[in-house]
C-alpha cells in the first residue's frame, strides 16, 4: 500500500530556533498534502492544505509566516516552524493524497507517522 | 462551529467482548465519515470510510454505520482482541479531503 514517510519522528529544539519537518510520499505522486497538529489528549486540527506548485491554504488562526509550508515536488512537502516557542510543542502529522481539488473527495488519504516537537 | 464528539473518551474491556464506539457531529452536510486508528505516538491508519450516500461499511470485525439525519456514526468492533487497543478517531469529511476529527476514544482490551 501507499506509504507516507515523515521525518524526523521526534525533535527537541531551543526556543527561537526553526525546525523543518519533511513529509514524503514513497510510492505515489502526492498532489495534495495536509498538515495537522495534535496537542496532548486532543484531536487533530488541520493547519493547512498544500497543492504541489502553489501556495498553501492555511486554516483560520494558523500563522502562515510562522508555519512555512513548501510543496515544491510531487513527493515532498515540508513544514518549517519558525522561531519556535514552547507553546508550539505538539505532535505534527502530515497526510497525502494523489488527488486535487475538484477530484473525488473519497480518494484515499495516507498519513505519516507524525513528528513530536518539543521546544525548550 | 463544526464539532465532532466521541463517546466514551476511554473504554476498557476484557478480550472477546463486542463493543460500540460513538461519534456525533453537528452538521449533517457531510461528504463522508471516516474512522481511523491511532497507536501511541504514531500516525493514523484508515479503517473505514462511509460515503454520505451509504449507511454502513464493513471490514473484517469492524462495522461502521452512518445516520446523517441524527448526526451520528458508530463503530462496532466484534470479538475484541488486545491488539485492538489504540485510540479510535472519527472524522467528518467536509470538502475535498478536509477532515474534522473527533476527540477520540482510547480503547484498552485486556487479555
Amino acid at each position: 500500500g501507499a506509504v507516507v514517510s515523515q521525518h524526523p519522528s521526534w525533535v527537541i529544539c531551543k526556543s527561537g530556533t526553526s525546525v523543518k519537518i519533511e513529509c514524503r510520499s514513497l510510492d505515489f505522486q502526492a498532489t495534495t498534502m495536509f498538515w495537522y497538529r495534535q496537542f496532548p489528549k486532543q484531536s487533530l486540527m488541520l493547519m493547512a492544505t498544500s497543492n504541489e506548485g502553489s501556495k498553501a491554504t492555511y486554516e483560520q488562526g494558523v500563522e502562515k509566516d510562522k508555519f512555512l509550508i513548501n510543496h515544491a515536488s510531487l513527493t515532498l512537502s515540508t513544514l518549517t516552524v519558525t522561531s519556535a516557542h514552547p507553546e508550539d510543542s505538539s505532535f505534527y502529522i502530515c497526510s497525502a493524497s494523489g488527488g486535487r481539488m475538484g477530484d473525488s473527495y473519497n480518494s484515499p488519504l495516507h498519513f505519516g507517522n507524525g513528528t513530536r516537537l518539543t521546544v525548550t | 462551529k463544526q464539532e465532532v464528539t466521541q463517546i466514551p473518551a476511554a473504554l476498557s474491556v476484557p478480550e472477546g467482548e463486542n463493543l460500540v464506539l460513538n461519534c456525533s457531529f453537528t452538521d449533517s452536510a457531510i461528504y463522508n465519515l471516516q474512522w481511523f486508528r491511532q497507536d501511541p505516538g504514531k500516525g493514523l491508519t484508515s479503517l473505514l470510510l462511509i460515503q454520505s450516500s451509504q449507511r454502513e461499511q464493513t471490514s473484517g470485525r469492524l462495522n461502521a454505520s452512518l445516520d446523517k439525519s441524527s448526526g451520528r456514526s458508530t463503530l462496532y468492533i466484534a470479538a475484541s482482541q488486545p491488539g485492538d487497543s489504540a485510540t479510535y478517531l472519527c472524522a467528518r469529511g467536509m470538502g475535498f479531503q478536509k477532515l474534522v476529527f473527533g476527540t477520540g476514544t482510547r480503547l484498552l482490551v485486556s487479555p
Side-chain angles (χ1 to χ4, degrees):
Chain A
V3 177
V4 172
S5 174
Q6 192 170 337
H7 178 80
S9 57
W10 60 271
V11 58
I12 301 173
C13 70
K14 293 185 177 180
S15 184
T17 61
S18 295
V19 175
K20 179 184 286 187
I21 302 170
E22 295 186 347
C23 181
R24 294 181 183 273
S25 57
L26 299 184
D27 56 1
F28 68 102
Q29 293 184 331
T31 48
T32 305
M33 286 188 172
F34 303 86
W35 288 95
Y36 292 85
R37 178 169 53 185
Q38 184 179 34
F39 291 107
K41 296 188 178 181
Q42 294 187 26
S43 194
L44 281 73
M45 297 296 293
L46 180 65
M47 298 175 65
T49 303
S50 69
N51 285 298
E52 181 266 335
S54 59
K55 290 183 178 181
T57 301
Y58 290 81
E59 295 299 304
Q60 189 174 8
V62 178
E63 301 175 56
K64 62 179 182 181
D65 294 330
K66 181 171 184 63
F67 298 99
L68 302 179
I69 292 173
N70 183 283
H71 192 166
S73 79
L74 286 170
T75 59
L76 175 64
S77 176
T78 61
L79 167 67
T80 301
V81 183
T82 62
S83 186
H85 292 284
E87 56 265 32
D88 297 324
S89 298
S90 185
F91 192 58
Y92 293 85
I93 305 177
C94 69
S95 67
S97 165
R100 276 194 183 274
M101 295 288 291
D103 290 347
S104 167
Y105 42 76
N106 289 315
S107 300
L109 270 176
H110 309 284
F111 284 81
N113 277 335
T115 297
R116 172 73 60 192
L117 169 64
T118 302
V119 184
T120 60
Chain B
K1 184 178 180 182
Q2 299 125 347
E3 291 186 340
V4 181
T5 306
Q6 290 186 246
I7 295 173
L11 182 62
S12 183
V13 300
E15 180 178 7
E17 275 203 9
N18 302 324
L19 51 98
V20 176
L21 308 182
N22 298 292
C23 172
S24 61
F25 44 93
T26 55
D27 189 341
S28 61
I30 65 172
Y31 287 100
N32 57 56
L33 193 292
Q34 302 187 39
W35 284 91
F36 296 88
R37 168 186 173 136
Q38 184 177 28
D39 292 287
K42 298 292 186 182
L44 275 65
T45 301
S46 178
L47 298 174
L48 290 165
L49 184 156
I50 311 174
Q51 299 181 26
S52 62
S53 58
Q54 299 174 326
R55 292 193 62 85
E56 67 176 338
Q57 281 286 336
T58 298
S59 176
R61 293 182 294 108
L62 306 179
N63 175 276
S65 66
L66 173 64
D67 184 344
K68 289 195 303 179
S69 62
S70 65
R72 293 180 182 179
S73 176
T74 60
L75 177 66
Y76 176 82
I77 302 177
S80 59
Q81 303 172 356
D84 295 331
S85 299
T87 295
Y88 289 81
L89 297 167
C90 69
R92 171 173 165 262
M94 294 173 52
F96 178 68
Q97 299 184 333
K98 284 186 67 172
L99 299 175
V100 176
F101 283 87
T103 48
T105 294
R106 295 187 304 280
L107 173 64
L108 176 63
V109 181
S110 54

